[in-house]
Amino acid sequence: MDIFDVLTAISERKTAAIRMGMNEYDALMKAICDISKEYHISLPDVKKLVG
């Protein structure tokens, strides 16, 4: 898994959450947390990737 796979997964989760009615910021934070747990990457590292 590389950086682009992680960013793509975050983007897909964010888009799905927005479609379910979440605002953009909350959707991004939820996607970051979900991907961090799913791929066993520390939360601060994922936040650094997203910027």
Side-chain angles (χ1 to χ4, degrees), residues 11-24 26-28 30-31 34:
S11 178
E12 289 171 355
R13 292 278 175 100
K14 176 185 165 193
T15 301
I18 289 172
R19 288 182 183 155
M20 291 174 30
M22 246 184 216
N23 69 42
E24 188 173 353
D26 290 340
L28 177 60
K30 181 177 180 349
D34 289 349

Side-chain angles (χ1 to χ4, degrees), residues 23-40:
N23 69 42
E24 188 173 353
Y25 178 78
D26 290 340
L28 177 60
M29 292 298 110
K30 181 177 180 349
I32 288 172
C33 289
D34 289 349
I35 296 302
S36 173
K37 290 177 186 174
E38 184 175 326
Y39 292 112
H40 306 289

